[in-house]
Each structure stands twice: as C-alpha cells, then as structure tokens.
Amino acid sequence: MKTFIFNNFISKITKHQTVAVFSHVRPDGDCLGAQVGFSLWLQKNGIKASAFNEDELPENMHWLQEFFPIRKPSEAQLSEFDAFVVLDGNALHRFGDVAEKIADLGKPVYMIDHHPDPEDIYEEPISVVSASSTCELVYRLFAEHNIDQIDEPVAKALYLGLVTDTGSFQFDSVKPATLHAAADLLDRGRFTPNVITNKIYASRPLKQLKLLSMALETIETHAQGKIATITITQEMFTRTGTTNEDTEGFVQYPLSVEGVLACVLFREDEDRIKLSLRSQSDSIDVNKWARKFNGGGHKKAAGAHFVGTLKEAKKAVLKVGEEQL
C-alpha cells in the first residue's frame, strides 16, 4: 500500500497566498532543481512564490533561471510573505544570514529535505533520509497531488537534482523509486538524458580543467591506503583564474583510487578550510566525521569547515578519520 507523506503538507501550504522558497548557500543541482520545481508547483496551485539564494548560481546551472527566477534575498522582503519553505537542508544557518531570521517572524516555516537530524522548528517537515535527493521528494509531491502538473520545465529541473545528487545514478542511495522518477520525468518532459548532462558536465570552461589537473597532482593516500585526500589552494585559484564553484565534483576523484574507503577534499578558502567528505564503506560514517568540524550531511557524503591553516586542518581531520577505521 502506497504511503502518502505530503497530505498534511499540501493541506497547510495551500492555505498561504505568498511563499518564499530558500535553497542552501553554495547551491548545487539538487537544491536548485528542487527550488525551481517546487516554486513552479506553488505557482501552478495558485500561490505566489519567490525563490531566494544568498549565493550566485553555478555557471552551468544558470539555465534554470529560464524556468523560474532565483534572486538574492533581503531582510526587508521577509515581511511580504506569510510562509517560508527551505529545501535540501534542515538547519536555517545552511540557508544564509537572511534565512536565519525567518524563525523569529512568528510565521510558519516548512521543510523538504533528505538529511538526518532536522531542527525542531518546522510547521510541517518532510524529512526522508532514505530519499536519493530532495528533487526525488519534490517529484513525489507532484505524484501525490497531481502528477499531470509536471511539464517540461519541472521535469528538467527535478531531473537535474536526481542526476547530480546520485552521481549520475551510481550511489547506493539510488532505489527503484529513484529510477522510476527519472524515467517518468524524461517521459513527461519529452527530453533525453544528454540534454541535462551536457549542460552540467559537457560545458566546463578550460580554466576549470586546468584547476582539476593541478588538484589531481595533490592526491595522497593515508591510513594504509584506506583514506585519500585532494587539495585545492588559493594559489591554484589565482593561477587558473577560477573560483570555489569550479571545484564541484572534484571530491569524487580520490574516492576512485583502488582500496580507498573514504576521502576528503581540502579547499583553501579565504577565511577557512572547506571540507568535503565522501565514503564508499559502511564502516566510515562521514556525517559523524563532519560533525566534529562544524558540519554534517549523509553517512556517505558530508561537508564541514576548519578554521586554521591547511596543515592544521589535514592533521586534525585525518586523525578523526583514522579513529573511525
């Protein structure tokens, strides 16, 4: 028997007239695809929607703006809305300085997400850790409400999140329901997979490939070859003319080294060391690992940060990883 998880959510959210939809800072394909898909769902159901993100969209995802505009929020705008929705994150600090203030307004805040341990502040939280992506959950919202509301823009936005958050359907988070959703989106949107994958993977600027080449030279293994690291420094950004967003996907390369169970990407930002952690072993929970360093995520994919030097970060982070082994 099919379980309907969105009944209460739909009943409550459709009573609002104006809704602000937030995606998390340093946006990726899943949060942006879910944001556009969900904003279109609101619009199709007679609700005025506005989509916000404090950061710029990655260059290879600007095409989403053709379907629904995503703008930078301001604190003054918050009074315009009678409800808020956060997508692909379950703690308000993940959505930026403006979003952190919405909990103090006395208005309902809703959530759709697939990360563990959500904050206890939401009017109607949809939290499904077993889902491959937030886009899969937004697809399920359409399926439970009115599947025929999925048109080409919705289908392309949601398919983007399915592809990017599953490693092109390689991760063990992919279930039959995930592939069913992907197939249905392709059918309803009347497009082929390469239409999306070419936009996000086959349009890399040359400078990004030069950055990747430099980063690959830094791959090292630790803990008898069970943990690998890859490093991106400010000097590399300067030499190649790239930015933080050009490192998307780099963390997967050290994980492909034979015998490696988990990996860490160390990225030297201006004020901290950004950490991206991945695991392909049930024995290493990178969510727990990341929580030691101001972060979190999933058991096999998480992010965090370290305030200090690159050398200090590597020593501290690898120590925790080796303890898990």
Side-chain angles (χ1 to χ4, degrees):
M1 181 177 179
K2 186 176 179 180
T3 302
F4 291 86
I5 62 173
F6 278 97
N7 279 347
N8 291 339
F9 182 94
I10 293 169
S11 176
K12 291 182 178 182
I13 200 74
T14 51
K15 292 177 182 177
H16 300 294
Q17 294 183 327
T18 55
V19 175
V21 183
F22 284 84
S23 55
H24 62 69
V25 296
R26 293 180 292 278
D28 56 24
D30 189 30
C31 79
L32 294 174
Q35 184 175 32
V36 168
F38 180 71
S39 296
L40 290 170
W41 182 87
L42 290 171
Q43 194 175 73
K44 290 173 184 292
N45 289 285
I47 302 164
K48 184 179 179 181
S50 296
F52 297 109
N53 194 295
E54 290 202 9
D55 288 337
E56 295 290 338
L57 274 63
E59 285 185 22
N60 60 350
M61 297 180 196
H62 273 283
W63 53 273
L64 285 168
Q65 301 268 35
E66 299 171 12
F67 303 148
F68 199 93
I70 300 172
R71 298 173 290 155
K72 289 193 175 186
S74 70
E75 196 172 340
Q77 292 173 301
L78 298 181
S79 61
E80 300 174 12
F81 304 99
D82 48 42
F84 304 91
V85 180
V86 296
L87 297 169
D88 200 36
N90 55 31
L92 288 185
H93 69 85
R94 290 281 288 114
F95 298 87
D97 294 338
V98 174
E100 279 198 83
K101 296 177 171 60
I102 64 179
D104 301 326
L105 298 177
K107 298 178 181 180
V109 183
Y110 299 82
M111 179 200 80
I112 304 176
D113 182 49
H114 66 132
H115 297 87
D117 307 318
E119 290 181 329
D120 186 23
I121 61 170
Y122 302 107
E123 176 75 17
E124 192 64 42
I126 302 296
S127 179
V128 184
V129 177
S130 61
S132 69
S133 56
T134 300
C135 278
E136 183 177 339
L137 292 174
V138 176
Y139 168 83
R140 188 164 173 178
L141 167 65
F142 277 92
E144 291 185 19
H145 182 60
N146 182 355
I147 194 71
D148 290 331
Q149 288 185 333
I150 295 180
D151 55 14
E152 181 183 348
V154 170
K156 287 181 174 178
L158 297 184
Y159 189 82
L160 166 68
L162 289 180
V163 169
T164 54
D165 238 37
T166 63
S168 298
F169 304 105
Q170 297 180 74
F171 299 162
D172 62 5
S173 60
V174 175
K175 306 295 190 299
T178 312
L179 297 176
H180 171 80
D184 196 38
L185 292 170
L186 292 172
D187 185 36
R188 292 178 183 277
R190 299 185 181 278
F191 63 97
T192 54
N194 65 296
V195 170
I196 302 302
T197 56
N198 283 351
K199 288 178 183 293
I200 54 177
Y201 299 128
S203 58
R204 294 175 183 260
L206 180 59
K207 62 182 181 179
Q208 188 181 63
L209 294 178
K210 289 183 176 180
L211 177 65
L212 174 61
S213 175
M214 296 175 71
L216 291 175
E217 290 287 338
T218 72
I219 291 178
E220 298 176 325
T221 58
H222 313 264
Q224 293 77 51
K226 295 178 181 179
I227 296 175
T229 60
I230 185 170
T231 305
I232 299 108
T233 65
Q234 283 290 308
E235 182 186 2
M236 292 179 186
F237 287 136
T238 300
R239 288 175 59 186
T240 57
T242 51
T243 64
N244 293 345
E245 66 182 46
D246 288 303
T247 63
E248 181 70 29
F250 284 18
V251 69
Q252 295 302 126
Y253 288 94
L255 196 62
S256 67
V257 175
E258 183 180 6
V260 168
L261 302 180
C263 71
V264 186
L265 179 147
F266 293 90
R267 190 183 73 202
E268 190 179 37
D269 290 354
E270 292 182 359
D271 59 344
R272 64 184 64 188
I273 307 300
K274 175 70 171 66
L275 311 173
S276 296
L277 303 96
R278 298 291 185 272
S279 170
Q280 53 187 359
S281 169
D282 290 333
S283 65
I284 301 182
D285 184 338
V286 294
N287 176 43
K288 292 181 179 177
W289 191 351
R291 285 181 179 274
K292 299 283 188 180
F293 300 98
N294 311 294
H298 300 284
K299 185 175 182 179
K300 294 190 175 179
H305 70 266
F306 181 93
V307 178
T309 67
L310 195 54
K311 183 178 180 180
E312 291 168 340
K314 287 185 175 182
K315 181 178 179 180
V317 172
L318 287 171
K319 183 176 184 293
V320 172
E322 290 170 3
E323 288 171 356
Q324 284 213 36
L325 289 172

